[in-house]
Protein backbone atom coordinates (compact mmCIF):
# COMPACT_ATOMS: atom_id res chain seq x y z
CA UNK A 1 0.00 0.00 0.00
CA UNK A 2 1.42 3.40 -0.93
CA UNK A 3 0.23 6.25 1.23
CA UNK A 4 1.10 9.93 1.56
CA UNK A 5 -0.54 12.18 4.12
CA UNK A 6 -0.72 15.89 3.39
CA UNK A 7 -1.09 17.97 6.50
CA UNK A 8 -0.17 21.27 8.19
CA UNK A 9 2.29 21.33 11.11
CA UNK A 10 0.48 20.56 14.39
CA UNK A 11 -2.89 20.29 12.61
CA UNK A 12 -5.13 18.37 15.03
CA UNK A 13 -7.18 16.56 12.35
CA UNK A 14 -3.86 15.92 10.56
CA UNK A 15 -2.54 14.25 13.70
CA UNK A 16 -5.83 12.33 13.97
CA UNK A 17 -5.32 10.92 10.45
CA UNK A 18 -1.69 10.04 11.22
CA UNK A 19 -2.79 8.17 14.36
CA UNK A 20 -5.37 6.23 12.35
CA UNK A 21 -2.77 5.22 9.76
CA UNK A 22 -0.46 4.11 12.56
CA UNK A 23 -3.29 2.18 14.26
CA UNK A 24 -3.82 0.29 11.00
CA UNK A 25 -0.09 -0.36 10.65
CA UNK A 26 -0.06 1.39 7.25
CA UNK A 27 3.34 2.88 6.46
CA UNK A 28 3.00 6.35 4.98
CA UNK A 29 4.99 9.36 3.96
CA UNK A 30 4.06 12.80 5.22
CA UNK A 31 4.18 16.18 3.53
CA UNK A 32 3.66 19.25 5.70
CA UNK A 33 2.24 22.27 3.94
CA UNK A 34 2.27 25.85 5.13
CA UNK A 35 -1.22 27.03 6.09
CA UNK A 36 -2.95 29.03 3.33
CA UNK A 37 -0.41 27.79 0.77
CA UNK A 38 -1.90 24.39 1.57
CA UNK A 39 -5.15 25.48 -0.10
CA UNK A 40 -3.48 26.10 -3.45
CA UNK A 41 -1.17 23.08 -3.11
CA UNK A 42 -4.06 20.70 -2.43
CA UNK A 43 -5.97 21.91 -5.49
CA UNK A 44 -2.78 21.53 -7.53
CA UNK A 45 -2.44 17.97 -6.25
CA UNK A 46 -5.94 17.23 -7.49
CA UNK A 47 -7.83 17.19 -4.19
CA UNK A 48 -11.33 18.61 -4.49
CA UNK A 49 -11.29 20.66 -1.28
CA UNK A 50 -8.85 22.98 0.45
CA UNK A 51 -8.29 21.45 3.87
CA UNK A 52 -5.96 18.94 5.42
CA UNK A 53 -5.76 16.11 6.27
CA UNK A 54 -5.66 14.88 2.69
CA UNK A 55 -4.52 11.36 1.90
CA UNK A 56 -3.28 9.82 -1.31
CA UNK A 57 -3.52 6.08 -0.95
CA UNK A 58 -2.88 3.67 -3.80
CA UNK A 59 -3.70 6.47 -6.25
CA UNK A 60 -6.99 7.44 -4.56
CA UNK A 61 -7.45 10.85 -2.97
CA UNK A 62 -9.37 11.08 0.29
CA UNK A 63 -9.92 14.29 2.21
CA UNK A 64 -11.25 14.98 5.70
CA UNK A 65 -10.47 13.08 8.89
CA UNK A 66 -13.80 11.23 8.97
CA UNK A 67 -13.64 10.15 5.32
CA UNK A 68 -10.06 9.04 5.80
CA UNK A 69 -11.12 6.91 8.80
CA UNK A 70 -13.76 5.13 6.73
CA UNK A 71 -11.45 4.54 3.78
CA UNK A 72 -8.77 3.09 6.05
CA UNK A 73 -11.35 0.79 7.67
CA UNK A 74 -12.43 -0.38 4.21
CA UNK A 75 -8.89 -0.94 2.96
CA UNK A 76 -7.61 -2.64 6.10
CA UNK A 77 -10.36 -3.80 8.48
CA UNK A 78 -7.99 -5.00 11.22
CA UNK A 79 -7.36 -3.69 13.78
CA UNK A 80 -10.72 -1.93 13.63
CA UNK A 81 -11.33 1.77 14.15
CA UNK A 82 -15.08 1.22 14.65
CA UNK A 83 -16.71 -1.19 17.15
CA UNK A 84 -18.55 -4.14 15.57
CA UNK A 85 -21.54 -3.86 17.93
CA UNK A 86 -24.08 -1.48 16.27
CA UNK A 87 -25.04 0.38 19.47
CA UNK A 88 -21.43 0.92 20.44
CA UNK A 89 -20.60 1.99 16.91
CA UNK A 90 -23.41 4.55 16.95
CA UNK A 91 -22.07 6.01 20.22
CA UNK A 92 -18.52 6.14 18.87
CA UNK A 93 -19.70 7.80 15.65
CA UNK A 94 -21.64 10.41 17.63
CA UNK A 95 -18.50 11.24 19.64
CA UNK A 96 -16.41 11.27 16.47
CA UNK A 97 -18.84 13.69 14.77
CA UNK A 98 -18.77 15.95 17.83
CA UNK A 99 -14.96 15.92 17.70
CA UNK A 100 -14.95 16.86 14.03
CA UNK A 101 -17.82 19.34 13.90
CA UNK A 102 -17.90 20.93 17.37
CA UNK A 103 -14.58 20.52 19.18
CA UNK A 104 -11.96 21.02 16.46
CA UNK A 105 -12.84 24.48 15.27
CA UNK A 106 -13.04 26.53 18.50
CA UNK A 107 -9.62 25.18 19.52
CA UNK A 108 -8.29 26.11 16.06
CA UNK A 109 -9.74 29.61 16.42
CA UNK A 110 -8.18 30.09 19.85
CA UNK A 111 -4.78 28.97 18.55
CA UNK A 112 -4.88 31.39 15.60
CA UNK A 113 -6.08 34.20 17.89
CA UNK A 114 -2.99 33.67 20.08
CA UNK A 115 -0.56 33.34 17.14
CA UNK A 116 -1.95 36.53 15.62
CA UNK A 117 -1.09 38.33 18.88
CA UNK A 118 2.35 36.75 19.24
CA UNK A 119 3.96 34.93 16.34
CA UNK A 120 6.89 33.72 18.44
CA UNK A 121 5.02 30.52 19.38
CA UNK A 122 4.77 29.55 15.69
CA UNK A 123 8.20 27.91 15.71
CA UNK A 124 7.22 25.51 18.50
CA UNK A 125 4.19 24.30 16.50
CA UNK A 126 6.45 23.66 13.50
CA UNK A 127 8.81 21.43 15.49
CA UNK A 128 9.55 18.27 13.49
CA UNK A 129 7.61 19.53 10.45
CA UNK A 130 8.60 18.46 6.93
CA UNK A 131 7.99 21.74 5.16
CA UNK A 132 10.61 21.54 2.43
CA UNK A 133 12.04 24.91 3.55
CA UNK A 134 14.00 25.68 6.73
CA UNK A 135 11.59 26.22 9.63
CA UNK A 136 13.33 29.49 10.53
CA UNK A 137 12.59 30.84 7.06
CA UNK A 138 9.00 29.62 7.14
CA UNK A 139 8.44 31.28 10.52
CA UNK A 140 10.22 34.51 9.56
CA UNK A 141 8.09 34.93 6.46
CA UNK A 142 4.91 33.73 8.18
CA UNK A 143 3.34 37.14 8.97
CA UNK A 144 0.89 37.30 6.07
CA UNK A 145 0.08 33.61 6.48
CA UNK A 146 -0.82 34.15 10.11
CA UNK A 147 -3.01 37.15 9.26
CA UNK A 148 -4.80 35.24 6.51
CA UNK A 149 -5.21 32.09 8.61
CA UNK A 150 -6.74 34.10 11.44
CA UNK A 151 -9.11 35.71 8.92
CA UNK A 152 -10.06 32.45 7.14
CA UNK A 153 -10.73 30.77 10.48
CA UNK A 154 -12.66 33.78 11.81
CA UNK A 155 -10.33 33.91 14.79
CA UNK A 156 -11.39 37.18 16.36
CA UNK A 157 -12.21 38.42 19.87
CA UNK A 158 -15.82 37.37 19.63
CA UNK A 159 -15.16 33.80 18.45
CA UNK A 160 -12.25 33.40 20.88
CA UNK A 161 -14.52 34.34 23.75
CA UNK A 162 -17.28 31.99 22.67
CA UNK A 163 -14.70 29.20 22.27
CA UNK A 164 -13.60 29.75 25.87
CA UNK A 165 -17.21 29.85 27.08
CA UNK A 166 -17.99 26.61 25.27
CA UNK A 167 -14.93 24.72 26.49
CA UNK A 168 -16.14 23.52 29.93
CA UNK A 169 -19.32 22.07 28.42
CA UNK A 170 -17.35 20.31 25.70
CA UNK A 171 -14.93 18.87 28.25
CA UNK A 172 -17.89 17.62 30.31
CA UNK A 173 -19.19 15.84 27.22
CA UNK A 174 -15.82 14.17 26.60
CA UNK A 175 -15.54 13.16 30.27
CA UNK A 176 -19.05 11.70 30.04
CA UNK A 177 -18.11 9.59 27.03
CA UNK A 178 -15.02 8.39 28.86
CA UNK A 179 -17.15 7.41 31.90
CA UNK A 180 -19.54 5.55 29.57
CA UNK A 181 -16.65 3.62 27.97
CA UNK A 182 -17.21 5.18 24.53
CA UNK A 183 -13.82 6.88 24.75
CA UNK A 184 -10.51 5.77 26.29
CA UNK A 185 -11.54 2.12 26.58
CA UNK A 186 -9.11 -0.79 26.41
CA UNK A 187 -9.04 -0.56 22.58
CA UNK A 188 -8.73 2.92 21.13
CA UNK A 189 -11.30 3.76 18.46
CA UNK A 190 -11.87 6.36 15.77
CA UNK A 191 -13.43 8.84 18.23
CA UNK A 192 -10.40 8.62 20.52
CA UNK A 193 -8.18 9.42 17.54
CA UNK A 194 -10.48 12.26 16.47
CA UNK A 195 -10.92 13.89 19.89
CA UNK A 196 -7.55 13.39 21.63
CA UNK A 197 -5.60 15.62 19.19
CA UNK A 198 -7.99 18.53 19.81
CA UNK A 199 -7.47 18.07 23.56
CA UNK A 200 -3.71 17.75 22.98
CA UNK A 201 -3.69 21.01 21.03
CA UNK A 202 -5.78 22.76 23.71
CA UNK A 203 -3.31 21.57 26.35
CA UNK A 204 -0.47 23.37 24.54
CA UNK A 205 -2.14 26.67 25.49
CA UNK A 206 -1.11 27.61 29.02
CA UNK A 207 -4.33 29.61 29.34
CA UNK A 208 -6.48 26.52 28.77
CA UNK A 209 -4.39 23.83 30.43
CA UNK A 210 -5.60 24.38 34.03
CA UNK A 211 -9.21 23.80 32.90
CA UNK A 212 -8.30 20.44 31.34
CA UNK A 213 -5.61 19.02 33.59
CA UNK A 214 -6.90 16.55 36.15
CA UNK A 215 -9.94 15.69 34.04
CA UNK A 216 -10.42 12.27 32.40
CA UNK A 217 -10.14 14.16 29.08
CA UNK A 218 -6.53 15.05 29.94
CA UNK A 219 -5.74 11.38 30.60
CA UNK A 220 -7.09 10.54 27.14
CA UNK A 221 -4.84 13.18 25.54
CA UNK A 222 -1.86 11.99 27.57
CA UNK A 223 -2.44 8.42 26.39
CA UNK A 224 -3.01 9.17 22.70
CA UNK A 225 -0.90 12.30 22.03
CA UNK A 226 1.66 12.54 24.85
CA UNK A 227 4.01 14.73 22.81
CA UNK A 228 1.75 17.18 21.02
CA UNK A 229 3.97 19.81 19.37
CA UNK A 230 3.73 23.46 20.34
CA UNK A 231 3.46 25.73 23.34
CA UNK A 232 1.67 29.03 23.89
CA UNK A 233 2.47 30.93 27.10
CA UNK A 234 -0.39 32.85 28.77
CA UNK A 235 -1.71 35.51 26.39
CA UNK A 236 -5.51 35.57 26.52
CA UNK A 237 -7.06 38.38 28.59
CA UNK A 238 -7.55 37.19 32.20
CA UNK A 239 -11.17 38.33 32.26
CA UNK A 240 -12.02 36.16 29.26
CA UNK A 241 -10.80 33.08 31.14
CA UNK A 242 -13.29 33.55 33.99
CA UNK A 243 -15.68 30.86 32.64
CA UNK A 244 -12.84 28.32 32.93
CA UNK A 245 -12.37 28.82 36.64
CA UNK A 246 -13.73 25.85 38.53
CA UNK A 247 -13.92 23.87 35.28
CA UNK A 248 -11.13 21.45 36.22
CA UNK A 249 -12.32 18.40 38.12
N1 LIG B 1 -13.10 18.99 10.03
C1 LIG B 1 -12.11 18.86 8.99
C2 LIG B 1 -11.23 20.05 9.22
C3 LIG B 1 -10.18 20.30 8.24
C4 LIG B 1 -9.50 21.65 8.50
O1 LIG B 1 -10.16 22.69 8.67
N2 LIG B 1 -8.18 21.63 8.49
C5 LIG B 1 -7.41 22.84 8.66
C6 LIG B 1 -6.12 22.57 9.42
S1 LIG B 1 -6.44 22.07 11.09
C7 LIG B 1 -7.01 23.37 7.29
O2 LIG B 1 -6.74 22.63 6.37
N3 LIG B 1 -6.96 24.70 7.15
C8 LIG B 1 -6.51 25.34 5.96
C9 LIG B 1 -5.51 26.42 6.22
O3 LIG B 1 -5.12 26.60 7.39
O4 LIG B 1 -5.09 27.06 5.27
C10 LIG B 1 -11.38 17.52 9.13
O5 LIG B 1 -11.41 16.92 10.22
O6 LIG B 1 -10.82 17.05 8.13
Amino acid sequence: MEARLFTIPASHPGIAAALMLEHKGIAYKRTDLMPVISKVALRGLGFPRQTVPALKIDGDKIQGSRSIARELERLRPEPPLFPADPAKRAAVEEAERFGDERLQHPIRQLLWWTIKRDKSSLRSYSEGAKLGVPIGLAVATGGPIVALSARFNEANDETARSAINALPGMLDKVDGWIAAGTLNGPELNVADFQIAPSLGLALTLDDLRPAIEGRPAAALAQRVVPNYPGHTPPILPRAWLEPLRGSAS
Side-chain angles (χ1 to χ4, degrees):
M1 221 173 265
E2 202 160 304
R4 181 172 288 274
L5 177 65
F6 297 91
T7 184
I8 286 174
S11 157
H12 39 333
I15 288 175
L19 289 167
M20 292 175 207
L21 282 157
E22 283 154 27
H23 177 75
K24 292 290 186 187
I26 299 174
Y28 67 97
K29 297 204 169 85
R30 194 182 92 205
T31 299
D32 287 315
L33 304 165
M34 292 279 277
V36 182
I37 292 166
S38 58
K39 295 180 191 297
V40 183
L42 290 169
R43 296 310 287 265
L45 286 159
F47 285 97
R49 290 183 283 115
Q50 301 186 348
T51 58
V52 301
L55 180 70
K56 237 185 200 176
I57 189 156
D58 286 346
D60 285 333
K61 299 187 183 87
I62 323 291
Q63 222 170 348
S65 53
R66 272 155 76 201
S67 301
I68 289 171
R70 279 151 189 79
E71 181 65 2
L72 295 181
E73 192 80 343
R74 189 185 72 76
L75 290 170
R76 188 169 291 181
E78 295 294 328
L81 282 166
F82 297 85
D85 174 79
K88 286 187 182 151
R89 178 171 179 139
V92 164
E93 288 192 292
E94 187 194 342
E96 181 204 21
R97 192 175 320 112
F98 163 88
D100 179 10
E101 294 178 357
R102 303 258 320 276
L103 181 63
Q104 263 186 28
H105 198 53
I107 307 290
R108 182 183 291 119
Q109 289 177 313
L110 280 170
L111 180 71
W112 280 116
W113 188 99
T114 66
I115 295 178
K116 200 169 102 177
R117 293 301 174 288
D118 180 1
K119 292 175 202 45
S120 65
S121 66
L122 205 51
R123 175 180 276 275
S124 70
Y125 289 93
S126 311
E127 214 58 61
K130 301 172 178 190
L131 282 166
V133 290
I135 285 172
L137 178 66
V139 171
T141 56
I145 284 177
V146 171
L148 282 170
S149 292
R151 187 166 344 135
F152 288 147
N153 286 298
E154 297 177 320
N156 53 47
D157 291 3
E158 195 188 329
T159 57
R161 291 192 78 165
S162 27
I164 293 166
N165 292 343
L167 189 63
M170 293 200 286
L171 293 170
D172 286 345
K173 242 175 146 37
V174 171
D175 287 349
W177 275 315
I178 293 173
T182 301
L183 294 175
N184 211 12
E187 309 297 335
L188 292 171
N189 63 51
V190 71
D192 293 304
F193 295 130
Q194 174 64 243
I195 287 174
S198 289
L199 300 170
L201 179 56
L203 281 161
T204 68
L205 273 67
D206 283 355
D207 285 321
L208 305 185
R209 194 176 333 107
I212 309 170
E213 261 173 353
R215 280 176 172 266
L220 172 63
Q222 178 57 32
R223 174 179 174 193
V224 180
V225 281
N227 301 309
Y228 204 100
H231 176 230
T232 301
I235 187 167
L236 287 155
R238 298 292 90 197
W240 292 11
L241 299 173
E242 201 54 48
L244 300 186
R245 286 192 224 300
S247 158
S249 36

